[in-house]
C-alpha cells in the first residue's frame, strides 16, 4: 500500500538488468510496507502509521508462504 505498483515493476527490472537473477516480485494486497495487515479504512491506516500502532498488527500469512516457496525453489533440498 506504500509502494506504487509501477515502482515495484521498475525496481524488479533494474535489479534483473543488473544481473540479479534471484529477483521475484510479489504483490500482497492489504498490507503495509512492513508486510503487516493494514486496516481497510484510510484514516485508521494513517493514524496507526504515525502512532506506530501499525507495528502491533500481525504480519501477512501470504508473506510467510511466499517466502517459504521462494526458499524452496532457490535452495532445493535433496533427500
Amino acid at each position: 500500500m506504500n509502494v506504487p505498483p509501477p515502482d515495484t515493476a521498475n525496481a524488479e527490472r533494474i535489479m534483473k538488468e543488473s544481473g540479479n537473477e534471484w529477483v521475484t516480485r510479489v504483490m500482497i494486497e492489504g498490507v503495509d510496507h512492513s508486510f503487516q495487515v493494514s486496516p481497510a479504512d484510510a484514516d485508521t491506516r494513517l493514524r496507526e502509521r504515525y502512532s506506530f500502532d501499525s507495528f502491533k498488527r500481525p504480519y501477512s500469512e501470504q508473506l510467510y508462504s511466499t517466502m517459504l516457496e521462494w526458499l524452496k525453489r532457490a535452495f532445493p533440498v535433496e533427500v
Side-chain angles (χ1 to χ4, degrees):
M1 300 179 82
N2 298 67
V3 180
D7 290 356
T8 65
N10 287 336
E12 176 188 31
R13 179 184 52 77
I14 290 167
M15 286 184 265
K16 286 183 175 179
E17 287 175 354
S18 297
N20 186 339
E21 299 174 14
W22 293 93
V23 176
T24 302
R25 178 172 46 111
V26 177
M27 305 295 286
I28 302 176
E29 293 187 31
V31 300
D32 63 15
H33 196 69
S34 301
F35 299 103
Q36 290 170 292
V37 178
S38 291
D41 174 44
D43 289 337
T44 304
R45 277 198 309 270
L46 186 62
R47 189 171 31 260
E48 286 187 0
R49 189 77 166 153
Y50 285 97
S51 67
F52 298 109
D53 283 343
S54 61
F55 292 108
K56 297 176 185 174
R57 292 190 166 270
Y59 288 93
S60 164
E61 288 297 322
Q62 186 180 350
L63 167 67
Y64 295 122
S65 61
T66 301
M67 287 175 60
L68 286 173
E69 288 304 314
W70 185 88
L71 287 168
K72 288 177 187 176
R73 285 192 317 273
F75 306 99
V77 177
E78 295 184 29
V79 179

